[in-house]
Amino acid sequence: MTNAHDFNLDTELDETDDWDESELEPVDDTWPDQPDPEDEPTAGAMQLAERHALRRVASLSTELEDISEVEYRQLRLERVVLVGVWTDGTVEDAENSMAELALLAETAGSEVLEAVYQRRQNPDPATSVGRGKVEGLAEIVQATGADTVICDGELAPSQLRNLEDRLKVKVVDRTALILDIFAQHAKSREGQAQTELAQLNYMKQRLRGWGGQLSRQAGGRVGADGGGIGGRGPGETKIETDRRRINTKIAKLRRELKEMKGTRDTKRQERKRHSIPSVSIAGYTNAGKSSLLNRLTNAGVLVEDSLFATLDPTTRRTTTTDGRVYTMSDTVGFVRHLPHQLVEAFRSTLEEVADSDLILHVVDGSHPDPEGQLSAVREVFAEIGASEVRELVVINKADAADPMVLARLRQREPHSVVVSAKTGEGIVEALALIEGELPRPGIEFRALLPYERGDLINRIHQQGEIASMEHTGEGTLVQGRANEDLAGELAAYAV
């Protein structure tokens, strides 16, 4: 085998070599056509293309046939086996939960080989699944060649350790899986900080050492071990040092998020000062929230048929048919048993939902269990204090849903509308319902505005309601409703 280092890379060009100019390709020196601005992709389309470009490809091996081909090493999908413990509910509920776990695993970048679940009254305190099931699971792992086992549910640190010791492969629970997906998809600085904070809170309780690492002491002169100044003196083990460093990092992230929250609060207070109503689009992950935002406001945000495609909230300014301005925000999707660490870390973002004037609760009408989605999302609403906000249920994906399911959901949720963000079905009706639910200005007015005060007419269109308008010789006679600030300015022209 010839090694690349055996070649002389300093070889000079031999001036006596003959070459024919006719073999050279002509150079095109014409200026390329400028792209049409209308053909340029939206920000969401570019994010989608970038995400797809980074996807792992199945059936690629990291095993190298020739060391000289190290530059062409490719990532391969993790091969996983799913396992769940079914304690209550129906068989259909258990199968839906396992199907969702499979989607989560695929979104994280893995290939699902096998899925098994066990009916138990309570999870086993040592291994979650029973002792016999662990032995059967070990046989499945060995037979399929899996390198990871994913458990449906949050495991205690001792359960994770016991399963890894018996299965001899990596074991991941549902919480760690969702945190991994968030880490892959977070784009903004705030989203990345929130995700890292949730991961550190999760890891802090699950630190473990192997062999001598667990009992390694940090004394007064420990420069070689990386302890040094600040190691808290003799007697500190490596696991204690790691936990202290995690706590330091958590405190730093919380300070950063507090500063970002201040910026978000300032923007929210500015909207409230101008009495701009806000609408939040919330719901289960992959229910079509971003597609609905694009359809309602032409936002151009990232749309992808995958779980947790949207982590960074997007707010767009839009207007009603009569000219009133309001904002519409896309939010992070929810899921069953959303990890508590994520709810705490994303609390500043989720406050957008709690402080909004109206929630568009989007549910996937084509999902096998849409009622379960509604219940899971409302549990999160209760946790973030959004239960009292007015709610309009938007049953999405009508083009792919069973009409019987849609009828059942409409009966269960009277204050709802059926739409298809893909085809546009029901969007006009949804917009009419949204406009009807927006808060109305509270103060009635009747004013004669001079023609040079067109700015006030514009503000009435944007922030108030006009019942009647008449152009007279003295000015514009306007009657309607306005918020407190605007009504105060109009009082000087009251008639």
Side-chain angles (χ1 to χ4, degrees), residues 107-173:
T107 302
S110 60
E111 178 186 0
V112 178
L113 304 176
E114 192 71 60
V116 294
Y117 60 89
Q118 180 186 25
R119 170 69 169 174
R120 287 181 63 93
Q121 189 172 4
N122 293 298
D124 187 277
T127 56
S128 184
V129 295
R131 181 181 303 177
K133 184 63 68 174
V134 172
E135 296 174 359
L137 191 58
E139 295 177 1
I140 292 174
V141 168
Q142 188 173 8
T144 58
D147 46 37
T148 304
V149 170
I150 301 178
C151 296
D152 188 19
E154 184 169 343
L155 300 181
S158 60
Q159 292 173 327
L160 276 172
R161 182 171 60 251
N162 291 336
L163 281 174
E164 285 187 345
D165 290 343
R166 299 186 188 186
L167 299 177
K168 308 302 181 184
V169 294
K170 181 174 66 175
V171 177
V172 176
D173 62 9

Side-chain angles (χ1 to χ4, degrees), residues 435-470:
E435 293 179 11
E437 289 289 338
L438 292 177
R440 299 183 61 193
I443 302 176
E444 294 185 0
F445 71 89
R446 188 172 184 270
L448 181 62
L449 301 177
Y451 286 117
E452 62 266 19
R453 292 309 307 267
D455 59 316
L456 284 177
I457 297 290
N458 183 54
R459 286 184 60 191
I460 296 172
H461 276 292
Q462 292 184 346
Q463 302 176 19
E465 292 181 3
I466 297 178
S468 65
M469 181 184 295
E470 181 184 354

Side-chain angles (χ1 to χ4, degrees), residues 161-407:
R161 182 171 60 251
N162 291 336
L163 281 174
E164 285 187 345
D165 290 343
R166 299 186 188 186
L167 299 177
K168 308 302 181 184
V169 294
K170 181 174 66 175
V171 177
V172 176
D173 62 9
R174 181 189 179 92
T175 300
L177 177 63
I178 295 175
L179 290 173
D180 183 77
I181 296 172
F182 271 57
Q184 291 182 44
H185 289 186
K187 293 291 183 184
S188 70
R189 178 167 167 257
E190 184 177 14
Q192 291 171 346
Q194 289 167 327
T195 302
E196 185 178 1
L197 176 62
Q199 287 180 310
L200 290 173
N201 279 322
Y202 174 82
M203 289 169 52
K204 184 173 68 171
Q205 305 301 325
R206 289 164 175 80
L207 288 177
R208 59 181 296 186
W210 295 97
Q213 286 188 343
L214 191 63
S215 59
R216 191 163 62 197
Q217 301 291 321
R221 302 174 63 88
V222 286
D225 289 336
I229 297 174
R232 284 206 297 114
E236 184 178 45
T237 61
K238 183 178 183 299
I239 198 168
E240 291 172 337
T241 306
D242 291 342
R243 185 173 289 116
R244 180 169 49 81
R245 288 173 176 169
I246 286 178
N247 286 332
T248 302
K249 182 65 174 177
I250 287 174
K252 179 183 177 183
L253 287 171
R254 283 179 173 158
R255 286 194 300 270
E256 293 177 357
L257 287 171
K258 187 175 181 180
E259 295 175 2
M260 298 177 197
K261 181 178 182 297
T263 303
R264 186 183 298 279
D265 289 343
T266 301
K267 293 180 179 178
R268 190 184 304 131
Q269 290 169 4
E270 188 71 10
R271 292 198 297 266
K272 285 186 176 181
R273 189 173 68 86
H274 292 290
S275 300
I276 299 177
S278 61
V279 178
S280 292
I281 303 177
Y284 212 79
T285 181
N286 207 30
K289 298 182 296 299
S290 298
S291 299
L292 184 64
L293 178 68
N294 287 343
R295 177 67 71 171
L296 294 174
T297 66
N298 297 318
V301 299
L302 169 68
V303 173
E304 183 179 8
D305 184 17
S306 70
L307 306 184
F308 299 115
T310 301
L311 294 186
D312 305 316
T314 301
T315 300
R316 290 291 182 267
R317 187 184 181 99
T318 186
T319 57
T320 63
T321 52
D322 58 0
R324 285 181 293 155
V325 175
Y326 66 99
T327 61
M328 188 171 289
S329 301
D330 186 17
T331 60
V332 62
F334 304 139
V335 72
R336 286 184 183 87
H337 312 302
L338 189 67
H340 180 71
Q341 295 92 340
L342 279 176
V343 176
E344 285 299 316
F346 280 76
R347 184 168 294 278
S348 61
T349 303
L350 296 176
E351 284 177 358
E352 292 281 352
V353 179
D355 290 341
S356 59
D357 297 296
L358 175 67
I359 296 175
L360 298 186
H361 185 170
V362 184
V363 59
D364 182 358
S366 64
H367 191 270
D369 184 21
E371 289 88 355
Q373 287 192 351
L374 288 166
S375 300
V377 173
R378 282 170 176 157
E379 286 179 7
V380 182
F381 285 171
E383 193 168 352
I384 63 176
S387 299
E388 303 301 321
V389 182
R390 281 182 292 181
E391 178 186 8
L392 173 62
V393 176
V394 181
I395 306 170
N396 193 23
K397 304 187 182 180
D399 55 305
D402 185 346
M404 297 294 292
V405 175
L406 295 179

Side-chain angles (χ1 to χ4, degrees), residues 40-59:
E40 294 183 1
T42 63
M46 288 189 289
Q47 288 184 29
L48 184 60
E50 177 190 359
R51 186 173 294 177
H52 283 169
L54 294 175
R55 281 207 181 280
R56 299 172 181 170
V57 182
S59 303

Side-chain angles (χ1 to χ4, degrees), residues 410-458:
R410 287 299 300 269
Q411 184 176 7
R412 183 180 187 270
E413 302 290 340
H415 193 48
S416 63
V417 60
V418 176
V419 305
S420 171
K422 182 178 181 181
T423 65
E425 175 188 349
I427 294 298
V428 174
E429 182 185 356
L431 281 171
L433 286 172
I434 292 169
E435 293 179 11
E437 289 289 338
L438 292 177
R440 299 183 61 193
I443 302 176
E444 294 185 0
F445 71 89
R446 188 172 184 270
L448 181 62
L449 301 177
Y451 286 117
E452 62 266 19
R453 292 309 307 267
D455 59 316
L456 284 177
I457 297 290
N458 183 54

